[in-house]
């Protein structure tokens, strides 16, 4: 079985997003608080280190365009497939993903995800809905295996169904 790797937002992109997000707005860092002020964020996924926000951490909610940034590095032209959406990141540098946390970001059973497949031109070539079961790693392995069985699939974006938020990217192994 092929091993897939969930990729966080790259460090160069994080540095840029911490100043100005992909919608052109300045980042507005805040401290995550139990009372949800100014933004309910405790437990939300951080896309810089692929774990949940903890109380007391300095974070920012920014707009991120993952396909646009991938395309800029590959020469792809996603055109209308370019999307941007909200993601939480640490307001300052972090150590990136915690290897002890597993291969996929923590998601609870019952979480709803969509896996969108893109070709090397940045066009959507398919997708798959996934209701995350108790054995999330096995479910993601199977869904990603299906996605990469198509030789045209260059990368897969995993997004939340409810909000459309980008969670992580997986590239062809």
């Amino acid at each position: 079985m092929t091993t897939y790797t969930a990729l966080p937002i790259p460090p160069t992109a994080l540095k840029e997003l911490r100043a100005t997000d992909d919608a052109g707005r300045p980042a507005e860092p805040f401290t995550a608080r139990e009372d949800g002020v100014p933004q309910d964020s405790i437990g939300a996924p951080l896309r810089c280190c692929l774990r949940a926000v903890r109380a007391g951490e300095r974070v920012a909610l920014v707009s991120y365009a993952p396909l646009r940034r991938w395309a800029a590095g590959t020469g792809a032209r996603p055109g209308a497939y370019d999307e941007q959406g909200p993601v939480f990141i640490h307001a300052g540098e972090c150590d990136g993903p915690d290897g002890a946390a597993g291969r996929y970001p923590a998601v609870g059973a019952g979480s709803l995800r969509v896996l969108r497949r893109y070709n090397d031109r940045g066009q959507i070539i398919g997708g798959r809905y996934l209701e995350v079961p108790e054995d999330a790693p096995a479910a993601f392995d199977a869904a990603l295996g299906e996605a990469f069985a198509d030789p045209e699939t260059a990368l897969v974006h995993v997004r939340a169904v409810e909000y459309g938020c980008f969670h992580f990217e997986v590239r062809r192994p």
Side-chain angles (χ1 to χ4, degrees), residues 93-151:
E93 287 190 39
C94 72
D95 294 330
D98 178 355
R103 288 184 292 122
Y104 304 111
V107 292
S111 297
L112 306 176
R113 299 292 179 259
V114 63
L115 286 77
R116 291 193 188 147
R117 297 183 293 119
Y118 296 89
N119 64 20
D120 61 1
R121 295 178 306 282
Q123 300 165 333
I124 293 175
I125 58 170
R128 182 188 193 288
Y129 169 82
L130 176 66
E131 183 172 347
V132 180
E134 287 295 326
D135 190 353
F140 276 110
D141 283 343
L144 290 164
E146 291 171 15
F148 288 112
D150 179 346

Side-chain angles (χ1 to χ4, degrees), residues 1 15 19-21 25 47 52 58 61 70 73 89 97 137-138 143 168:
M1 175 181 272
K15 183 177 181 179
T20 304
D21 72 11
R25 292 184 295 263
R47 281 36 167 248
R58 293 286 294 165
L61 181 62
W70 170 82
I89 60 173
F168 60 90

